[in-house]
């Protein structure tokens, strides 16, 4: 129904915001992790929305990026996961983290989300792993790193993660180790790989 909304942020609560658009205040449910992205009441923001309708309620869910929204909708397609569970997952994990957790079959990490048990996490992995690809996950991660910090280090980081997965480590372990390495402007893939392998020893 709504693709996105752009307006003034007038209220912030633990799991929702009120966005005023054309003198109408919309109550929009959000992942709690989104709150840190706001600079405060009064700023103009753009929120990508999902309109969820049930017999007894109609609710709006909002996200800062279309990627977040797409992952939310993907989670809703998993048997046993509703909007509340999907928000809980996106509160403790970024879409990139979730992709790598699914592809790495890391149910333990997914199960850290409130209300998501190990069995639900395993079912999520089973239902989503064929809808995600490692290549797309790396591409999305590199794009997000580039958006956050320019192109600096993103290619080196991506190649180091791929090298670790080729060595037999799970994609989640590889990404976690590489993210723990400080990448300088002149760092090579080999240097990052060596540093990441040292990180692996402490994971």
């Amino acid at each position: 129904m709504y693709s996105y909304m752009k307006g003034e942020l007038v209220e912030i609560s633990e799991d929702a915001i009120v966005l005023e658009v054309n003198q109408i205040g919309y109550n929009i449910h959000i992942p709690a992790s989104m709150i840190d992205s706001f600079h405060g009441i009064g700023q103009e923001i753009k929120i990508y929305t999902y309109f969820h309708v049930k017999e007894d309620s109609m609710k709006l869910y909002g996200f800062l990026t279309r990627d977040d929204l797409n992952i939310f909708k993907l989670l809703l397609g998993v048997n046993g996961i509703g909007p509340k569970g999907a928000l809980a997952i996106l509160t403790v994990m970024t879409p990139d983290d979730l992709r790598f957790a699914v592809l790495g079959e890391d149910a333990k990490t997914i199960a850290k989300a409130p209300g998501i048990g190990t069995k639900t996490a395993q079912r999520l992995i089973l239902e989503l792993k064929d809808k995600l690809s490692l290549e797309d996950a790396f591409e999305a991660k590199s794009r997000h790193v580039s958006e956050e910090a320019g192109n600096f280090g993103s290619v080196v980081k991506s190649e180091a993660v791929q090298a670790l997965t080729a060595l037999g480590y799970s994609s989640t372990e590889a990404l976690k180790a590489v993210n723990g390495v400080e990448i300088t402007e002149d760092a090579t893939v080999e240097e990052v790989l060596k540093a990441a392998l040292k990180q692996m020893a402490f994971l």
Side-chain angles (χ1 to χ4, degrees):
M1 183 175 181
Y2 304 109
S3 178
Y4 65 84
M5 292 182 172
K6 192 173 184 180
E8 182 183 349
L9 180 63
V10 294
E11 288 183 29
I12 303 174
S13 61
E14 187 176 336
D15 61 353
I17 60 171
V18 175
L19 188 69
E20 185 177 316
V21 182
N22 295 327
Q23 298 183 328
I24 298 174
Y26 293 91
N27 190 67
I28 305 173
H29 296 270
I30 61 171
S33 56
M34 251 177 69
I35 293 174
D36 291 338
S37 302
F38 301 133
H39 302 305
I41 300 297
Q43 72 175 116
E44 184 175 83
I45 59 173
K46 181 178 181 179
I47 298 291
Y48 293 91
T49 55
Y50 178 83
F51 188 50
H52 186 70
V53 180
K54 293 201 307 182
E55 289 182 6
D56 57 347
S57 69
M58 293 186 292
K59 293 182 178 180
L60 270 173
Y61 295 86
F63 307 89
L64 289 177
T65 69
R66 193 171 293 281
D67 187 40
D68 290 346
L69 173 61
N70 289 338
I71 289 295
F72 177 75
K73 291 193 286 189
L74 198 63
L75 288 170
L76 292 183
V78 175
N79 185 33
I81 295 183
K84 186 177 179 180
L87 278 189
I89 292 171
L90 290 175
T91 291
V92 300
M93 306 179 74
T94 67
D96 290 328
D97 291 337
L98 179 62
R99 288 187 186 94
F100 283 108
V102 170
L103 294 167
E105 299 187 9
D106 188 355
K108 185 177 179 181
T109 295
I110 298 172
K112 289 179 181 178
I116 304 296
T118 302
K119 287 186 178 179
T120 301
Q122 290 171 338
R123 183 166 61 247
L124 184 155
I125 289 170
L126 186 64
E127 293 188 26
L128 293 188
K129 65 180 181 180
D130 291 335
K131 297 179 181 180
L132 300 170
S133 74
L134 196 57
E135 184 179 60
D136 289 342
F138 280 126
E139 183 180 336
K141 179 64 179 176
S142 294
R143 184 172 64 252
H144 296 151
V145 169
S146 296
E147 289 170 355
E148 291 172 7
N151 290 321
F152 172 65
S154 62
V155 175
V156 171
K157 179 179 287 190
S158 180
E159 290 182 1
V161 171
Q162 292 181 61
L164 287 170
T165 55
L167 290 173
Y169 292 100
S170 75
S171 52
T172 304
E173 290 173 331
L175 186 62
K176 184 177 179 181
V178 171
N179 279 340
V181 176
E182 185 176 345
I183 301 177
T184 59
E185 192 171 355
D186 57 350
T188 65
V189 175
E190 185 179 358
E191 289 170 343
V192 173
L193 188 58
K194 287 180 179 179
L197 286 168
K198 289 182 180 179
Q199 289 273 348
M200 289 292 196
F202 299 101
L203 290 180

